[in-house]
Amino acid sequence: MRNISIIKLISFFFFAALITINLAFFIESKRQIRDAEYHTYERFMLGMRIRGQVEGNAAKQLAQIGLRNSELDPNKIRQGGEKIYSDSYTDMIRYDKKLYFVPRFSSIDPKMFSRIMDAAGLNISSKDEIAKNDVPLENLEEISSHNIWVLWLVVNVVMAAFFIVVLKKLLRLRNLKNMIRRADEEDKFSLIEVETNDEIGQIAGEFNTTMQKIDAIKQARALFLRNILHEFRNPIMKGRIMADMIAEILQDDKAGDRLKQIFIRLEMILGEVVKVEKLVSNEWELKTNKHRVIDIVDHSVDMLLLKDTSRIEVLADGEISVVEVDFELYATGVKNLIDNALKYSNDKVLVSIDKNKICIISAGSELEPERLEFDRAFNRRVETSNSGLGLGLYIANQIFKKHGHALKYKHENGKNIFMICFGE
């Protein structure tokens, strides 16, 4: 039921209701016709009694209850009509869209007929009187379910009109959904056309207002990023130049190299932050290809710009794992995890690779719960000399999530273990 669209659901219930109502009208019309036929049968019986008791003005009294003596031959009515009701001595027959009450007295012995009439309180004994009562009665009132079918037509027209109006509204809602989807896919937001001032039109108007605000925020963010890149890169470049000058003045190449590494690292971190910001805002298009996991780890180690990598030990199982990822971006995420492990541990860092995951293992105390909220940037309240603000883990987690992989953590035997899970 969850996957059925509103249009299909409403259409289903509309046609179910339409079928039910039409079936109810059909049954009711049949019931009314049966009731009317039985009522006519009772009038015929009354008409026979009137015709047997009243002299002279029987035709007038028959007309008052909607009956008259028919001039049609009883045999013709029997042969060409449809029998509706029948008892021992009479038949009610529909013939040529009219109802007739045809007695069968002529086939009864006159003496037997006389006794039957006496029992009924009627004094009929002669053949002429028997023949007179053998004449068919004709119903003058129309039996029809015309009124109920007029009501049926009105109900069906109203229901169809209601369904068409609702369907048009729902189709507009679907069109609005498609326009919102297109707006999300386009780089530049364009206003959605507001056709009416009903609830759907109001939703479209509110969406336009919200998207205009979001678009303004995106433009402000892009301007901020351009400015911050410009403002940071200039001091970094100047710092690298100053490092060369200091090394030349002090005649100490090691000190100059250390200063250069610091500024190079600052530039790399700045570039990573910009990349991840675009990644999180869905402005970064992943350029994925199949790469060996061992190559990604090697590149991650190279990105650390370490002269001595002896503290990093890489172990891989016999089967070389391959993943389809954006090489540079994914290596950035792995590099952040290795960098954290080196920063917070004095022992060796083990990078273990198997078919389904990469594990970065380092000795250390178990992390506080607040630092395990990888979906939050700056998940520490303060920054100390021994700990950052959690931005590295946040960046790594966002990169792995974008690739459909998961970052997990556990602490066992005095070791912190970060797992990048990409297998089943």
Side-chain angles (χ1 to χ4, degrees):
M1 261 328 243
R2 290 181 180 179
N3 297 328
I4 299 177
S5 68
I6 297 177
I7 294 177
K8 291 181 179 178
L9 192 64
I10 290 180
S11 299
F12 170 77
F13 280 110
F14 168 76
F15 286 110
L18 191 66
I19 292 171
T20 303
I21 289 173
N22 280 271
L23 184 62
F25 270 107
F26 177 77
I27 294 172
E28 179 61 19
S29 67
K30 291 293 185 181
R31 187 193 65 81
Q32 288 191 5
I33 290 176
R34 286 197 303 270
D35 290 348
E37 289 174 345
Y38 186 76
H39 178 66
T40 302
Y41 179 77
E42 291 178 331
R43 287 191 293 111
F44 276 138
M45 296 296 291
L46 179 60
M48 291 295 292
R49 192 173 185 85
I50 290 172
R51 198 165 61 175
Q53 289 182 334
V54 180
E55 296 182 358
N57 61 349
K60 182 178 180 181
Q61 291 196 21
L62 288 173
Q64 289 177 351
I65 61 173
L67 301 176
R68 72 176 179 186
N69 291 319
S70 176
E71 298 178 355
L72 294 177
D73 181 14
N75 292 326
K76 182 178 180 180
I77 296 173
R78 292 182 189 280
Q79 292 174 0
E82 175 190 1
K83 189 180 294 185
I84 306 299
Y85 287 111
S86 181
D87 59 20
S88 301
Y89 308 111
T90 54
D91 299 309
M92 189 173 79
I93 299 173
R94 180 182 287 112
Y95 175 77
D96 196 19
K97 298 182 181 179
K98 288 186 178 182
L99 291 177
Y100 295 89
F101 199 66
V102 184
R104 298 197 299 273
F105 297 148
S106 57
S107 61
I108 303 174
D109 181 73
K111 292 181 179 181
M112 179 64 71
F113 177 76
S114 179
R115 287 198 294 269
I116 292 171
M117 292 297 104
D118 288 341
L122 303 176
N123 187 17
I124 300 173
S125 58
S126 66
K127 291 184 178 181
D128 293 337
E129 289 174 332
I130 293 174
K132 180 180 69 174
N133 282 277
D134 202 27
V135 173
L137 287 175
E138 179 182 340
N139 178 42
L140 300 177
E141 295 182 358
E142 182 182 359
I143 296 179
S144 172
S145 57
H146 175 74
N147 292 336
I148 195 170
W149 288 115
V150 170
L151 179 61
W152 167 84
L153 180 62
V154 171
V155 170
N156 277 266
V157 169
V158 170
M159 286 188 65
F162 175 76
F163 176 71
I164 291 171
V165 171
V166 172
L167 189 62
K168 288 178 67 177
K169 294 288 185 181
L170 291 175
L171 289 174
R172 285 186 55 231
L173 187 61
R174 187 173 66 179
N175 293 336
L176 176 61
K177 179 200 72 174
N178 293 333
M179 287 188 288
I180 292 173
R181 180 180 295 170
R182 286 197 299 270
D184 180 62
E185 294 172 352
E186 294 174 355
D187 294 333
K188 187 176 181 181
F189 172 69
S190 56
L191 293 175
I192 292 176
E193 183 179 354
V194 181
E195 299 177 355
T196 59
N197 196 32
D198 57 9
E199 287 80 358
I200 297 176
Q202 292 172 7
I203 291 173
E206 291 297 326
F207 176 79
N208 285 334
T209 302
T210 303
M211 287 303 297
Q212 284 176 320
K213 292 179 181 178
I214 294 174
D215 194 50
I217 292 172
K218 288 173 67 176
Q219 292 179 11
R221 187 193 64 214
L223 180 62
F224 170 76
L225 284 176
R226 286 198 298 269
N227 288 337
I228 199 172
L229 282 174
H230 176 73
E231 294 298 328
F232 274 91
R233 278 175 178 166
N234 282 341
I236 288 172
M237 291 301 298
K238 290 178 181 179
R240 293 176 66 176
I241 295 172
M242 290 297 295
D244 289 335
M245 294 175 62
I246 291 171
E248 185 176 347
I249 292 171
L250 298 177
Q251 295 183 352
D252 188 349
D253 292 336
K254 289 184 178 180
D257 288 341
R258 290 194 191 99
L259 285 173
K260 277 185 180 181
Q261 291 295 327
I262 291 172
F263 288 112
I264 291 172
R265 185 162 177 77
L266 283 173
E267 189 172 16
M268 288 183 64
I269 292 173
L270 186 61
E272 290 173 14
V273 172
V274 173
K275 283 181 181 179
V276 174
E277 193 282 332
K278 290 184 177 180
L279 183 69
V280 175
S281 60
N282 290 322
E283 293 183 5
W284 186 277
E285 183 179 353
L286 295 179
K287 298 178 180 178
T288 60
N289 282 303
K290 290 185 177 181
H291 300 281
R292 299 194 313 168
V293 176
I294 188 67
D295 294 335
I296 296 173
V297 172
D298 287 342
H299 187 62
S300 301
V301 174
D302 293 339
M303 292 173 72
L304 291 170
L305 302 176
L306 298 174
K307 287 188 175 180
D308 182 12
T309 60
S310 60
R311 286 183 58 203
I312 303 173
E313 183 179 356
V314 179
L315 295 178
D317 60 7
E319 183 178 355
I320 299 177
S321 302
V322 176
V323 289
E324 188 168 351
V325 296
D326 185 313
F327 186 80
E328 288 292 334
L329 196 62
Y330 204 87
T332 299
V334 177
K335 184 265 298 181
N336 284 354
L337 295 181
I338 298 174
D339 190 27
N340 272 2
L342 291 171
K343 188 184 300 182
Y344 301 120
S345 175
N346 295 323
D347 296 332
K348 280 192 173 185
V349 173
L350 175 63
V351 181
S352 174
I353 305 170
D354 63 28
K355 182 179 180 181
N356 298 317
K357 62 183 179 294
I358 305 172
C359 294
I360 292 91
I361 306 168
S362 61
S365 302
E366 185 174 1
L367 299 183
E368 302 92 335
E370 63 180 13
R371 294 191 63 190
L372 300 179
E373 298 178 23
F374 305 141
D375 287 326
R376 289 177 51 208
F378 308 108
N379 59 11
R380 290 179 64 86
R381 295 179 182 177
V382 295
E383 180 180 11
T384 67
S385 60
N386 295 323
S387 63
L389 289 172
L391 185 59
L393 288 178
Y394 169 75
I395 292 173
N397 184 58
Q398 293 299 324
I399 291 173
F400 301 143
K401 281 178 61 177
K402 189 69 176 179
H403 288 85
H405 299 171
L407 176 61
K408 299 180 180 180
Y409 167 82
K410 65 180 179 179
H411 186 267
E412 288 182 354
N413 301 323
K415 294 185 181 295
N416 292 311
I417 305 172
F418 285 90
M419 297 169 288
I420 308 166
C421 303
F422 43 79
E424 295 296 332

